[in-house]
Amino acid sequence: MKMPSGKNYFDLRTRVKELGLHTVCQSASCPNIGECWEQKSLTIMILGGICTRSCQFCDVPTGRPAPPDPDEPQHVARILSELGLRHTVITCVDRDDLRDGGASHWAQTITAVKAASPEMILEVLTGDFKGDTGAVDTVLKAKPDVFSHNLETVPRLSRLVRVQASYARSYAILSHAKRRGAVTKTGLMLGVGETMDEIFTVMKEIREIGVDILTMGQYLRPSKNHLPVASYITPDEFAALRSHGEALGFPHVEAGPLVRSSYHAENQRNIVLALRAQSSG
């Protein structure tokens, strides 16, 4: 893991603070922040820095959040335009306190970013909106290039790991987005107690509904207050999982110990462009 040290990292940290933005890189204590920020690649987290849920793997603070910042969409668009990125990921905290789960704020942000950086591939990593497919449609109507929502783990462990979420609801959200013609993506974190057979079953199920991009990485415990690591997946096992995913027909699989949802997402640009062309054709 590369520790934060370079000029780009500190410049980016200053600019994020100036614009009053949040990033999952900081809030979730991502192990890749030094490497990514030095390359001017970051994952902005919209709708504030306080989550209404208490997932057992996540280091983002839980509590009662403030109302969404009406200036946030323009601030997000500004920093991404300044960075001149070709591909970026925006994620969010869960906002179960909002009637639409933050979907309208998502749409405003996507629209602002697309206007400021029309050539950039924009990937959105959303929550489950409590299963509200109407909220998903609000997000999709703003035309993100990739709709991403993480299953995180296998069905047996979903309630333990995510507490207020469910595998079935997340699966339904991904299925709905795919039926709407979106390029779809999901992620699994491994090492929380799942078996290889359970992973294979999930991979098969999500490919059957047409999920295009799959990421798999090692769960790392943020603190002693979080879910303990049950096992460490070897690089060879990750390589085997990647091969298995490719055999199932996923257009792209990213698998490795430090892989996270947005890690090296820019390398998926050509895949996304091809998939988008297929769906529009």
Side-chain angles (χ1 to χ4, degrees):
M1 178 171 58
K2 183 177 180 181
M3 299 303 294
S5 60
K7 181 179 185 299
N8 287 343
Y9 167 83
F10 290 107
D11 288 348
L12 192 51
R13 188 178 68 174
T14 298
R15 190 60 174 139
V16 165
K17 185 176 181 179
E18 288 173 349
L19 292 171
L21 297 172
H22 299 275
T23 71
V24 74
C25 321
Q26 297 164 304
S27 297
S29 304
C30 180
N32 302 312
I33 187 170
E35 175 188 349
C36 293
W37 282 33
E38 190 56 29
Q39 297 173 6
K40 298 185 178 181
S41 176
L42 79 171
T43 299
I44 290 173
M45 186 172 71
I46 64 170
L47 290 162
I50 304 294
C51 188
T52 55
R53 299 191 184 180
S54 54
C55 297
Q56 295 302 294
F57 65 90
C58 184
D59 209 22
V60 175
T62 301
R64 180 176 296 178
D69 178 1
D71 294 326
E72 186 175 58
Q74 290 301 326
H75 287 170
V76 171
R78 184 181 306 168
I79 193 170
L80 292 178
S81 178
E82 290 172 359
L83 292 172
L85 301 176
R86 299 173 69 242
H87 186 129
T88 198
V89 181
I90 299 175
T91 189
C92 66
V93 291
D94 280 295
R95 293 298 302 260
D96 293 333
D97 58 313
L98 302 176
R99 180 176 297 179
D100 67 351
S104 58
H105 192 83
W106 261 115
Q108 293 167 22
T109 303
I110 295 165
T111 300
V113 170
K114 283 290 187 180
S117 305
E119 299 301 317
M120 183 175 66
I121 294 294
L122 176 58
E123 179 180 324
V124 300
L125 174 56
T126 79
D128 64 13
F129 299 108
K130 289 186 175 179
D132 181 1
T133 54
V136 175
D137 288 339
T138 296
V139 174
L140 294 177
K141 285 175 184 175
K143 300 189 181 306
D145 297 291
V146 181
F147 179 88
S148 181
H149 172 66
N150 284 341
L151 289 167
E152 304 293 6
T153 190
V154 300
R156 177 176 59 86
L157 298 172
S158 188
R159 185 65 68 180
L160 169 68
V161 172
R162 300 195 294 163
V163 186
Q164 297 104 318
S166 77
Y167 179 88
R169 191 161 68 191
S170 290
Y171 182 87
I173 288 293
L174 286 165
S175 182
H176 177 81
K178 192 61 194 177
R179 289 196 302 271
R180 287 287 191 264
V183 175
T184 50
K185 177 178 177 179
T186 194
L188 297 170
M189 57 181 182
L190 308 184
V192 295
E194 73 289 332
T195 67
M196 281 294 170
D197 283 344
E198 286 176 316
I199 299 169
F200 290 152
T201 298
V202 170
M203 293 171 72
K204 181 176 180 290
E205 288 178 350
I206 59 179
R207 185 55 197 147
E208 286 176 346
I209 60 172
V211 169
D212 300 293
I213 300 171
L214 172 63
T215 64
M216 292 177 282
Q218 172 69 50
Y219 168 62
L220 297 174
R221 192 181 195 183
S223 77
K224 292 181 179 179
N225 297 322
H226 291 82
L227 193 71
V229 176
S231 64
Y232 288 97
I233 314 304
T234 68
D236 285 346
E237 287 174 318
F238 274 117
L241 286 168
R242 181 170 57 250
S243 296
H244 184 71
E246 291 167 350
L248 286 172
F250 284 98
H252 187 78
V253 179
E254 197 81 38
L258 291 181
V259 168
R260 299 295 182 266
S261 300
S262 55
Y263 187 55
H264 288 176
E266 67 277 5
N267 294 340
Q268 299 159 27
R269 177 182 172 86
N270 290 338
I271 297 290
V272 173
L273 289 172
L275 290 168
R276 196 173 65 180
Q278 289 175 14
S279 63
S280 63

